[in-house]
Amino acid sequence: MTPLWIASVLACLLASVAGARLPDGRAHANMPPRPIVPVPPAVPEDAVTSRDGTALPPYNTTYYFDQLIDHNDPSKGTFVQRYWHTWEFYEEGGPIILMTPGEVNADGYYGYLTNGTINGQIAQQQNGATIVVEHRFYGYSNPYNNLSVESLQLHTIQQAIDDLVYFAYNVDLPMPGGDSVEPGEAPWVLIGGSYSGALTSWTMVNQPGVFYAGYASSAVVESIVDYWGYFDPIRQYMPANCSADVEAVITYIDETFTNGTTDEINNIKELFNMTELTHLDDFAGALRNNLWDWQSLQPDEGPGQQFFQFCDALEVKDGVSAGSGGWGVDYALNAWGTYWATTYYPLICGDYDPVTCLGTYDPTQSYYTDIEINDSGRSWEWIVCNEVGFFQDGAPEDWPTIVTRLVQPSSDERQCTYYFPEQFPNGPVTPDVNATNSAYAGWFANVTNLFFANGQRDPWREATKSADGTNFESTSWQPIAEGDGYHCSDLLTENALVDETVAEVQEQALASMKEWLAGWEPSSSSRK
């Protein structure tokens, strides 16, 4: 069974991705999956019927908006930004609900127009219209025809914020009255998940008054360089026997790779059938893939998902499951090696050899050097390397870890210089997350009518306002609702059917939106 996050990426990459080497679209298998929103359920491609029985364009109808290339210099002109839109539930005076899915090609994400998502649920309740807009430098919404370092200077969080604002004030929506619904004439609601959830918070902090309300799901508002906390919710919530054995195996591999003999090291490499890997941090870092599969989990998909197949491979012996302490390092190491070599490696690497699939030390690889558009991985790496960090490595020595400590942020920073040598001519540079958190408030966002929805099992939880130890107060004007869900589980209404805690989050959000939007009044405004 293919991991869901692999299937999701494949589903949304309807066109070829420049430089993609692996079946899932990643450049190499030591690169983490992006913090994208879940792909919504498939929708019909025939006409949509409005409440009054009018036939509307299909959900997959693509529209185009002339967006400013540079909000600091409008003289540079505009580029074509794609968006999708429906007024299925709209009635005059209703809200305009805007979402960007963030760091992906947005084709295939128009399911977020429907009531199969929280976006459509809000629209249905409040008589609103829904929009999905493609983020600059993703898919086919590009200011320039390449992803060179020169072009990417205009790929910043601030430019993305300004895109949303400019769109809201200047778009003429292809619906009745669509030329008179700018902020001030209609309430706008901004929705996002994960990075785009953070973008929702950052936009409402940076440009107050444009969006009357916001919904931020699993919003990674706090930028963090050494984001070892990604793996801690996984460690806390994965089966205890699997966690114990994974931690024991990783500890053994780290110790052997650091202090062991050549024969001991080679025995491990042979067990996993990766003898070609000369860089031991690449080998140990590759085993993060089995933990990254956690990000694909959702409440509605049952126990057969890839992550649990991995745990079964380690913990079920002769039909018997290990106790909470696991089987111990000897059995677990051999079981993991066998599973990796015979089952898992072909899933993530296909026909590629280990160096090509897992190596991170060759700056001539095409995935580092290709600059063609529609390469979401490259576009995301630019933001990672410059503004947000989120390097997913081992925990500090005084904290339990389920992934190797041999991989540290310096490894990611080194790869940033391979991707963008002109940006880092003097060698690796640590992303300036302090500037990002200072500019957009990070964890400390304090915004009226902004709803934060988080999941306790979300691996991105530690960058949200529900991070362990933060203890931010949930208020009526800025609620922080927490369910037992995973990454952005609350965006999809189907998850509420099987997890009552997700349903409660959605119900609370709908109640908040109803209360907030009842207080909206028109105001004078002019297009920017």
Side-chain angles (χ1 to χ4, degrees):
M1 178 179 178
T2 303
L4 182 60
W5 67 264
I6 292 179
S8 297
V9 173
L10 287 172
C12 73
L13 294 179
L14 302 180
S16 62
V17 179
R21 289 191 165 277
L22 303 186
D24 61 9
R26 287 183 298 166
H28 60 72
N30 259 308
M31 174 178 289
R34 298 186 304 280
I36 58 176
V37 299
V39 176
V43 296
E45 295 186 1
D46 49 6
V48 177
T49 303
S50 70
R51 280 176 167 170
D52 64 7
T54 303
L56 306 182
Y59 297 121
N60 65 353
T61 303
T62 306
Y63 301 98
Y64 302 94
F65 175 72
D66 291 330
Q67 182 62 263
L68 290 179
I69 291 174
D70 185 353
H71 293 277
N72 298 317
D73 184 2
S75 70
K76 291 181 180 177
T78 61
F79 70 96
V80 175
Q81 187 173 35
R82 300 194 298 177
Y83 73 98
W84 294 261
H85 165 58
T86 190
W87 57 104
E88 177 182 4
F89 302 115
Y90 183 73
E91 296 179 13
E92 186 175 356
I96 309 300
I97 298 163
L98 176 65
M99 178 195 201
T100 176
E103 67 281 27
V104 293
N105 179 321
D107 200 348
Y109 282 78
Y110 37 78
Y112 279 100
L113 301 174
T114 76
N115 63 1
T117 65
I118 193 66
N119 311 42
Q121 290 285 321
I122 295 171
Q124 188 172 29
Q125 173 182 277
Q126 302 297 144
N127 309 322
T130 52
I131 305 168
V132 170
V133 64
E134 191 166 62
H135 194 297
R136 65 167 51 209
F137 285 99
Y138 293 98
Y140 293 101
S141 296
N142 292 272
Y144 299 112
N145 65 356
N146 61 69
L147 298 179
S148 67
V149 168
E150 181 181 7
S151 297
L152 290 169
Q153 299 303 314
L154 293 175
H155 182 30
T156 66
I157 291 170
Q158 188 60 54
Q159 291 281 354
I161 289 171
D162 293 340
D163 281 352
L164 297 172
V165 173
Y166 187 82
F167 182 93
Y169 275 106
N170 291 281
V171 68
D172 289 337
L173 293 175
M175 70 178 194
D179 59 349
S180 57
V181 291
E182 67 183 68
E185 297 175 321
W188 281 65
V189 178
L190 186 59
I191 294 180
S194 199
Y195 160 69
S196 72
L199 192 60
T200 296
S201 177
W202 296 337
T203 299
M204 295 183 72
V205 167
N206 184 256
Q207 298 287 336
V210 177
F211 295 95
Y212 185 73
Y215 182 99
S217 172
S218 296
V220 289
V221 292
E222 183 78 1
S223 297
I224 302 168
V225 173
D226 188 0
Y227 189 44
W228 61 269
Y230 176 95
F231 297 102
D232 218 44
I234 305 175
R235 183 184 63 83
Q236 294 171 15
Y237 285 100
M238 68 191 287
N241 53 8
C242 192
S243 175
D245 277 339
V246 167
E247 184 179 343
V249 169
I250 291 300
T251 300
Y252 174 78
I253 289 176
D254 277 5
E255 173 63 25
T256 303
F257 283 0
T258 302
N259 300 309
T261 66
T262 300
D263 285 345
E264 289 171 333
I265 292 170
N266 286 338
N267 286 340
I268 294 175
K269 293 168 69 174
E270 289 172 3
L271 179 61
F272 286 79
N273 196 25
M274 294 196 294
T275 55
E276 300 99 314
L277 280 178
T278 57
H279 295 281
L280 298 181
D281 55 337
D282 284 347
F283 179 104
L287 303 185
R288 292 175 295 177
N289 280 277
N290 295 115
L291 286 307
W292 281 329
D293 282 335
W294 182 271
Q295 187 172 314
S296 74
L297 298 179
Q298 291 297 344
D300 69 320
E301 288 163 351
Q305 296 174 87
Q306 192 65 53
F307 182 89
F308 296 116
Q309 291 185 38
F310 161 66
C311 280
D312 285 348
L314 268 62
E315 302 308 322
V316 178
K317 178 168 56 173
D318 298 327
V320 177
S321 295
S324 60
W327 294 115
V329 66
D330 290 339
Y331 179 83
L333 175 65
N334 282 280
W336 195 344
T338 300
Y339 174 75
W340 178 275
T342 61
T343 301
Y344 194 76
Y345 182 89
L347 276 178
I348 61 170
C349 294
D351 295 331
Y352 290 110
D353 63 87
V355 175
T356 302
C357 180
L358 300 165
T360 67
Y361 281 87
D362 183 1
T364 68
Q365 286 280 12
S366 62
Y367 48 73
Y368 289 131
T369 59
D370 285 347
I371 60 172
E372 295 179 28
I373 64 169
N374 193 28
D375 184 350
S376 297
R378 180 176 178 84
S379 295
W380 176 241
E381 281 302 300
W382 177 263
I383 296 297
V384 165
C385 293
N386 287 285
E387 297 193 84
V388 300
F390 293 139
F391 301 141
Q392 297 168 25
D393 306 316
E397 291 289 344
D398 62 350
W399 200 262
T401 188
I402 54 174
V403 299
T404 181
R405 293 188 174 96
L406 299 181
V407 178
Q408 292 298 314
S410 57
S411 172
D412 300 278
E413 291 164 4
R414 167 177 52 80
Q415 291 183 72
C416 289
T417 69
Y418 298 169
Y419 274 107
F420 315 112
E422 301 91 343
Q423 183 75 0
F424 307 108
N426 299 318
V429 175
T430 299
D432 193 357
V433 298
N434 290 333
T436 303
N437 293 328
S438 176
Y440 308 116
W443 278 323
F444 301 94
N446 191 3
V447 180
T448 300
N449 295 355
L450 176 55
F451 191 98
F452 286 101
N454 296 320
Q456 286 297 310
R457 290 172 169 79
D458 181 8
W460 290 95
R461 187 190 71 204
E462 295 304 284
T464 75
K465 287 178 77 76
S466 294
D468 286 345
T470 53
N471 299 316
F472 292 108
E473 180 184 4
S474 177
T475 64
S476 61
W477 45 268
Q478 185 178 271
I480 304 172
E482 300 173 9
D484 292 336
Y486 299 92
H487 192 54
C488 298
S489 295
D490 50 273
L491 287 179
L492 305 181
T493 54
E494 61 190 6
N495 287 325
L497 301 178
V498 295
D499 189 325
E500 63 181 14
T501 69
V502 173
E504 289 168 1
V505 169
Q506 293 177 349
E507 290 166 5
Q508 185 179 342
L510 290 169
S512 293
M513 290 293 170
K514 184 176 183 179
E515 178 182 353
W516 295 341
L517 290 167
W520 180 84
E521 295 181 357
S523 62
S524 60
S525 71
S526 59
R527 293 186 176 231
K528 295 184 179 180

PDB file of all heavy atoms in Angstrom, residues 2 75 104 152 179 231 245 250 263 271 278 282 300 303 311 333 362 385 402 419 428 432 456 467-468 500 503 511:
ATOM      1  N   THR A   2       0.628   2.149  -0.944  1.00  0.00           N
ATOM      2  CA  THR A   2       1.418   3.367  -1.032  1.00  0.00           C
ATOM      3  C   THR A   2       1.039   4.323   0.093  1.00  0.00           C
ATOM      4  O   THR A   2      -0.142   4.523   0.365  1.00  0.00           O
ATOM      5  CB  THR A   2       1.176   4.062  -2.380  1.00  0.00           C
ATOM      6  OG1 THR A   2       1.490   3.148  -3.416  1.00  0.00           O
ATOM      7  CG2 THR A   2       2.045   5.301  -2.508  1.00  0.00           C
ATOM      8  N   SER A  75       5.410  48.897 -10.940  1.00  0.00           N
ATOM      9  CA  SER A  75       5.826  49.148 -12.323  1.00  0.00           C
ATOM     10  C   SER A  75       6.366  47.896 -13.008  1.00  0.00           C
ATOM     11  O   SER A  75       6.487  47.859 -14.234  1.00  0.00           O
ATOM     12  CB  SER A  75       6.892  50.248 -12.359  1.00  0.00           C
ATOM     13  OG  SER A  75       8.122  49.796 -11.800  1.00  0.00           O
ATOM     14  N   VAL A 104       1.897  23.968  -2.984  1.00  0.00           N
ATOM     15  CA  VAL A 104       1.616  22.903  -3.948  1.00  0.00           C
ATOM     16  C   VAL A 104       1.068  23.509  -5.236  1.00  0.00           C
ATOM     17  O   VAL A 104       0.586  24.640  -5.262  1.00  0.00           O
ATOM     18  CB  VAL A 104       0.558  21.892  -3.420  1.00  0.00           C
ATOM     19  CG1 VAL A 104       1.081  21.092  -2.260  1.00  0.00           C
ATOM     20  CG2 VAL A 104      -0.736  22.612  -3.048  1.00  0.00           C
ATOM     21  N   LEU A 152      13.447  34.074  -7.546  1.00  0.00           N
ATOM     22  CA  LEU A 152      12.922  33.743  -6.221  1.00  0.00           C
ATOM     23  C   LEU A 152      13.099  34.861  -5.195  1.00  0.00           C
ATOM     24  O   LEU A 152      12.568  34.750  -4.079  1.00  0.00           O
ATOM     25  CB  LEU A 152      13.568  32.452  -5.716  1.00  0.00           C
ATOM     26  CG  LEU A 152      13.150  31.172  -6.459  1.00  0.00           C
ATOM     27  CD1 LEU A 152      14.044  30.012  -6.053  1.00  0.00           C
ATOM     28  CD2 LEU A 152      11.686  30.840  -6.200  1.00  0.00           C
ATOM     29  N   ASP A 179     -18.333  41.981  -8.823  1.00  0.00           N
ATOM     30  CA  ASP A 179     -17.465  43.152  -8.907  1.00  0.00           C
ATOM     31  C   ASP A 179     -17.670  44.111  -7.745  1.00  0.00           C
ATOM     32  O   ASP A 179     -17.083  45.197  -7.722  1.00  0.00           O
ATOM     33  CB  ASP A 179     -17.707  43.890 -10.226  1.00  0.00           C
ATOM     34  CG  ASP A 179     -19.145  44.362 -10.386  1.00  0.00           C
ATOM     35  OD1 ASP A 179     -20.011  43.946  -9.574  1.00  0.00           O
ATOM     36  OD2 ASP A 179     -19.420  45.138 -11.323  1.00  0.00           O
ATOM     37  N   PHE A 231       8.983  15.156  15.556  1.00  0.00           N
ATOM     38  CA  PHE A 231       8.845  13.719  15.834  1.00  0.00           C
ATOM     39  C   PHE A 231       8.300  13.425  17.226  1.00  0.00           C
ATOM     40  O   PHE A 231       7.999  12.263  17.531  1.00  0.00           O
ATOM     41  CB  PHE A 231      10.208  13.032  15.654  1.00  0.00           C
ATOM     42  CG  PHE A 231      10.726  13.108  14.244  1.00  0.00           C
ATOM     43  CD1 PHE A 231      11.706  14.026  13.906  1.00  0.00           C
ATOM     44  CD2 PHE A 231      10.213  12.284  13.255  1.00  0.00           C
ATOM     45  CE1 PHE A 231      12.185  14.107  12.603  1.00  0.00           C
ATOM     46  CE2 PHE A 231      10.677  12.355  11.944  1.00  0.00           C
ATOM     47  CZ  PHE A 231      11.675  13.277  11.616  1.00  0.00           C
ATOM     48  N   ASP A 245      10.931   0.090  20.463  1.00  0.00           N
ATOM     49  CA  ASP A 245      11.885  -0.589  19.602  1.00  0.00           C
ATOM     50  C   ASP A 245      12.553   0.361  18.618  1.00  0.00           C
ATOM     51  O   ASP A 245      13.755   0.222  18.328  1.00  0.00           O
ATOM     52  CB  ASP A 245      11.200  -1.735  18.851  1.00  0.00           C
ATOM     53  CG  ASP A 245      11.107  -3.008  19.690  1.00  0.00           C
ATOM     54  OD1 ASP A 245      11.889  -3.131  20.648  1.00  0.00           O
ATOM     55  OD2 ASP A 245      10.260  -3.870  19.378  1.00  0.00           O
ATOM     56  N   ILE A 250      17.453   3.042  16.848  1.00  0.00           N
ATOM     57  CA  ILE A 250      18.120   4.289  16.477  1.00  0.00           C
ATOM     58  C   ILE A 250      19.302   4.558  17.414  1.00  0.00           C
ATOM     59  O   ILE A 250      20.384   4.979  16.977  1.00  0.00           O
ATOM     60  CB  ILE A 250      17.124   5.459  16.496  1.00  0.00           C
ATOM     61  CG1 ILE A 250      16.114   5.313  15.354  1.00  0.00           C
ATOM     62  CG2 ILE A 250      17.845   6.801  16.415  1.00  0.00           C
ATOM     63  CD1 ILE A 250      16.734   5.307  13.966  1.00  0.00           C
ATOM     64  N   ASP A 263      33.518  -3.348  10.592  1.00  0.00           N
ATOM     65  CA  ASP A 263      32.680  -4.532  10.393  1.00  0.00           C
ATOM     66  C   ASP A 263      31.289  -4.338  10.984  1.00  0.00           C
ATOM     67  O   ASP A 263      30.283  -4.740  10.367  1.00  0.00           O
ATOM     68  CB  ASP A 263      33.341  -5.754  11.033  1.00  0.00           C
ATOM     69  CG  ASP A 263      34.526  -6.270  10.221  1.00  0.00           C
ATOM     70  OD1 ASP A 263      34.643  -5.868   9.038  1.00  0.00           O
ATOM     71  OD2 ASP A 263      35.324  -7.057  10.767  1.00  0.00           O
ATOM     72  N   LEU A 271      22.465  -5.282   6.255  1.00  0.00           N
ATOM     73  CA  LEU A 271      21.136  -5.690   6.708  1.00  0.00           C
ATOM     74  C   LEU A 271      20.043  -4.909   5.981  1.00  0.00           C
ATOM     75  O   LEU A 271      19.007  -5.467   5.600  1.00  0.00           O
ATOM     76  CB  LEU A 271      21.024  -5.497   8.221  1.00  0.00           C
ATOM     77  CG  LEU A 271      19.694  -5.848   8.877  1.00  0.00           C
ATOM     78  CD1 LEU A 271      19.370  -7.328   8.675  1.00  0.00           C
ATOM     79  CD2 LEU A 271      19.736  -5.511  10.363  1.00  0.00           C
ATOM     80  N   THR A 278      28.075   5.854   1.529  1.00  0.00           N
ATOM     81  CA  THR A 278      29.312   6.092   2.277  1.00  0.00           C
ATOM     82  C   THR A 278      29.118   7.101   3.395  1.00  0.00           C
ATOM     83  O   THR A 278      29.870   7.098   4.372  1.00  0.00           O
ATOM     84  CB  THR A 278      30.414   6.584   1.332  1.00  0.00           C
ATOM     85  OG1 THR A 278      29.962   7.771   0.661  1.00  0.00           O
ATOM     86  CG2 THR A 278      30.752   5.526   0.297  1.00  0.00           C
ATOM     87  N   ASP A 282      23.527  10.048   5.910  1.00  0.00           N
ATOM     88  CA  ASP A 282      22.498   9.790   4.905  1.00  0.00           C
ATOM     89  C   ASP A 282      21.775   8.479   5.192  1.00  0.00           C
ATOM     90  O   ASP A 282      20.553   8.383   5.052  1.00  0.00           O
ATOM     91  CB  ASP A 282      23.119   9.730   3.509  1.00  0.00           C
ATOM     92  CG  ASP A 282      23.464  11.107   2.956  1.00  0.00           C
ATOM     93  OD1 ASP A 282      23.016  12.114   3.533  1.00  0.00           O
ATOM     94  OD2 ASP A 282      24.189  11.169   1.939  1.00  0.00           O
ATOM     95  N   ASP A 300     -10.127   8.753   9.282  1.00  0.00           N
ATOM     96  CA  ASP A 300     -11.109   7.979   8.525  1.00  0.00           C
ATOM     97  C   ASP A 300     -10.492   6.824   7.738  1.00  0.00           C
ATOM     98  O   ASP A 300     -11.181   6.184   6.950  1.00  0.00           O
ATOM     99  CB  ASP A 300     -11.865   8.900   7.563  1.00  0.00           C
ATOM    100  CG  ASP A 300     -10.978   9.418   6.440  1.00  0.00           C
ATOM    101  OD1 ASP A 300      -9.817   9.747   6.724  1.00  0.00           O
ATOM    102  OD2 ASP A 300     -11.448   9.484   5.289  1.00  0.00           O
ATOM    103  N   PRO A 303      -6.529   1.054  10.206  1.00  0.00           N
ATOM    104  CA  PRO A 303      -5.222   0.572  10.665  1.00  0.00           C
ATOM    105  C   PRO A 303      -4.297   0.082   9.553  1.00  0.00           C
ATOM    106  O   PRO A 303      -3.161  -0.280   9.824  1.00  0.00           O
ATOM    107  CB  PRO A 303      -5.599  -0.594  11.582  1.00  0.00           C
ATOM    108  CG  PRO A 303      -6.874  -1.120  11.000  1.00  0.00           C
ATOM    109  CD  PRO A 303      -7.601   0.084  10.474  1.00  0.00           C
ATOM    110  N   CYS A 311       5.040  -0.614  11.787  1.00  0.00           N
ATOM    111  CA  CYS A 311       5.050  -1.067  13.182  1.00  0.00           C
ATOM    112  C   CYS A 311       4.722  -2.551  13.291  1.00  0.00           C
ATOM    113  O   CYS A 311       5.310  -3.270  14.113  1.00  0.00           O
ATOM    114  CB  CYS A 311       4.073  -0.234  14.009  1.00  0.00           C
ATOM    115  SG  CYS A 311       4.743   1.383  14.516  1.00  0.00           S
ATOM    116  N   LEU A 333      15.977  -4.644  15.157  1.00  0.00           N
ATOM    117  CA  LEU A 333      16.937  -4.231  14.136  1.00  0.00           C
ATOM    118  C   LEU A 333      16.839  -5.139  12.916  1.00  0.00           C
ATOM    119  O   LEU A 333      16.787  -4.655  11.767  1.00  0.00           O
ATOM    120  CB  LEU A 333      18.355  -4.270  14.709  1.00  0.00           C
ATOM    121  CG  LEU A 333      19.491  -3.967  13.725  1.00  0.00           C
ATOM    122  CD1 LEU A 333      19.400  -2.527  13.222  1.00  0.00           C
ATOM    123  CD2 LEU A 333      20.847  -4.223  14.372  1.00  0.00           C
ATOM    124  N   ASP A 362      25.956  15.412  -3.267  1.00  0.00           N
ATOM    125  CA  ASP A 362      26.372  15.688  -4.646  1.00  0.00           C
ATOM    126  C   ASP A 362      25.662  16.937  -5.162  1.00  0.00           C
ATOM    127  O   ASP A 362      24.499  16.870  -5.589  1.00  0.00           O
ATOM    128  CB  ASP A 362      26.046  14.493  -5.545  1.00  0.00           C
ATOM    129  CG  ASP A 362      26.514  14.701  -6.979  1.00  0.00           C
ATOM    130  OD1 ASP A 362      27.095  15.760  -7.268  1.00  0.00           O
ATOM    131  OD2 ASP A 362      26.286  13.794  -7.807  1.00  0.00           O
ATOM    132  N   CYS A 385      14.847  27.596   3.558  1.00  0.00           N
ATOM    133  CA  CYS A 385      16.243  28.006   3.721  1.00  0.00           C
ATOM    134  C   CYS A 385      16.386  29.463   4.147  1.00  0.00           C
ATOM    135  O   CYS A 385      17.404  29.828   4.767  1.00  0.00           O
ATOM    136  CB  CYS A 385      17.007  27.793   2.418  1.00  0.00           C
ATOM    137  SG  CYS A 385      17.219  26.058   1.950  1.00  0.00           S
ATOM    138  N   ILE A 402      13.406   9.212  18.366  1.00  0.00           N
ATOM    139  CA  ILE A 402      13.078   8.076  17.505  1.00  0.00           C
ATOM    140  C   ILE A 402      13.696   8.255  16.121  1.00  0.00           C
ATOM    141  O   ILE A 402      13.426   7.451  15.218  1.00  0.00           O
ATOM    142  CB  ILE A 402      11.551   7.869  17.394  1.00  0.00           C
ATOM    143  CG1 ILE A 402      10.849   9.149  16.951  1.00  0.00           C
ATOM    144  CG2 ILE A 402      10.986   7.356  18.714  1.00  0.00           C
ATOM    145  CD1 ILE A 402       9.356   8.975  16.687  1.00  0.00           C
ATOM    146  N   TYR A 419      21.122  24.024  -3.523  1.00  0.00           N
ATOM    147  CA  TYR A 419      19.961  24.526  -4.250  1.00  0.00           C
ATOM    148  C   TYR A 419      20.179  25.952  -4.752  1.00  0.00           C
ATOM    149  O   TYR A 419      19.817  26.291  -5.878  1.00  0.00           O
ATOM    150  CB  TYR A 419      18.728  24.522  -3.335  1.00  0.00           C
ATOM    151  CG  TYR A 419      17.964  23.232  -3.275  1.00  0.00           C
ATOM    152  CD1 TYR A 419      18.026  22.417  -2.153  1.00  0.00           C
ATOM    153  CD2 TYR A 419      17.140  22.835  -4.325  1.00  0.00           C
ATOM    154  CE1 TYR A 419      17.296  21.235  -2.079  1.00  0.00           C
ATOM    155  CE2 TYR A 419      16.402  21.661  -4.264  1.00  0.00           C
ATOM    156  CZ  TYR A 419      16.492  20.864  -3.143  1.00  0.00           C
ATOM    157  OH  TYR A 419      15.762  19.698  -3.085  1.00  0.00           O
ATOM    158  N   PRO A 428      26.986  27.866   4.173  1.00  0.00           N
ATOM    159  CA  PRO A 428      25.691  27.728   4.841  1.00  0.00           C
ATOM    160  C   PRO A 428      25.360  28.903   5.762  1.00  0.00           C
ATOM    161  O   PRO A 428      26.240  29.452   6.428  1.00  0.00           O
ATOM    162  CB  PRO A 428      25.840  26.434   5.646  1.00  0.00           C
ATOM    163  CG  PRO A 428      26.892  25.665   4.909  1.00  0.00           C
ATOM    164  CD  PRO A 428      27.850  26.687   4.389  1.00  0.00           C
ATOM    165  N   ASP A 432      16.727  32.964   8.974  1.00  0.00           N
ATOM    166  CA  ASP A 432      16.473  34.043   9.922  1.00  0.00           C
ATOM    167  C   ASP A 432      15.057  33.932  10.482  1.00  0.00           C
ATOM    168  O   ASP A 432      14.185  34.756  10.205  1.00  0.00           O
ATOM    169  CB  ASP A 432      16.689  35.396   9.250  1.00  0.00           C
ATOM    170  CG  ASP A 432      16.760  36.546  10.259  1.00  0.00           C
ATOM    171  OD1 ASP A 432      16.574  36.275  11.469  1.00  0.00           O
ATOM    172  OD2 ASP A 432      16.992  37.688   9.839  1.00  0.00           O
ATOM    173  N   GLN A 456      -3.888  16.946  18.426  1.00  0.00           N
ATOM    174  CA  GLN A 456      -2.871  16.477  19.356  1.00  0.00           C
ATOM    175  C   GLN A 456      -1.892  15.504  18.699  1.00  0.00           C
ATOM    176  O   GLN A 456      -0.730  15.434  19.085  1.00  0.00           O
ATOM    177  CB  GLN A 456      -3.538  15.803  20.557  1.00  0.00           C
ATOM    178  CG  GLN A 456      -4.181  16.787  21.523  1.00  0.00           C
ATOM    179  CD  GLN A 456      -3.152  17.721  22.148  1.00  0.00           C
ATOM    180  OE1 GLN A 456      -2.129  17.286  22.664  1.00  0.00           O
ATOM    181  NE2 GLN A 456      -3.420  19.017  22.094  1.00  0.00           N
ATOM    182  N   ALA A 467       1.482  23.923  21.006  1.00  0.00           N
ATOM    183  CA  ALA A 467       2.757  23.290  21.320  1.00  0.00           C
ATOM    184  C   ALA A 467       2.864  23.027  22.822  1.00  0.00           C
ATOM    185  O   ALA A 467       2.369  23.813  23.648  1.00  0.00           O
ATOM    186  CB  ALA A 467       3.914  24.172  20.862  1.00  0.00           C
ATOM    187  N   ASP A 468       3.521  21.925  23.167  1.00  0.00           N
ATOM    188  CA  ASP A 468       3.724  21.598  24.579  1.00  0.00           C
ATOM    189  C   ASP A 468       4.414  22.761  25.287  1.00  0.00           C
ATOM    190  O   ASP A 468       5.406  23.310  24.794  1.00  0.00           O
ATOM    191  CB  ASP A 468       4.580  20.341  24.717  1.00  0.00           C
ATOM    192  CG  ASP A 468       3.820  19.078  24.376  1.00  0.00           C
ATOM    193  OD1 ASP A 468       2.581  19.136  24.305  1.00  0.00           O
ATOM    194  OD2 ASP A 468       4.470  18.032  24.167  1.00  0.00           O
ATOM    195  N   GLU A 500     -15.163  12.063  17.001  1.00  0.00           N
ATOM    196  CA  GLU A 500     -16.054  13.065  17.584  1.00  0.00           C
ATOM    197  C   GLU A 500     -15.298  14.306  18.039  1.00  0.00           C
ATOM    198  O   GLU A 500     -15.861  15.401  18.091  1.00  0.00           O
ATOM    199  CB  GLU A 500     -16.846  12.471  18.737  1.00  0.00           C
ATOM    200  CG  GLU A 500     -16.016  12.003  19.925  1.00  0.00           C
ATOM    201  CD  GLU A 500     -16.861  11.411  21.032  1.00  0.00           C
ATOM    202  OE1 GLU A 500     -18.041  11.115  20.784  1.00  0.00           O
ATOM    203  OE2 GLU A 500     -16.331  11.248  22.148  1.00  0.00           O
ATOM    204  N   ALA A 503     -15.134  16.468  15.068  1.00  0.00           N
ATOM    205  CA  ALA A 503     -16.469  17.039  14.878  1.00  0.00           C
ATOM    206  C   ALA A 503     -16.699  18.209  15.829  1.00  0.00           C
ATOM    207  O   ALA A 503     -17.277  19.242  15.443  1.00  0.00           O
ATOM    208  CB  ALA A 503     -17.532  15.966  15.083  1.00  0.00           C
ATOM    209  N   ALA A 511     -19.835  27.677  14.955  1.00  0.00           N
ATOM    210  CA  ALA A 511     -20.517  28.559  15.902  1.00  0.00           C
ATOM    211  C   ALA A 511     -19.804  29.902  16.007  1.00  0.00           C
ATOM    212  O   ALA A 511     -20.449  30.965  16.058  1.00  0.00           O
ATOM    213  CB  ALA A 511     -20.607  27.886  17.273  1.00  0.00           C
TER     214      ALA A 511
END
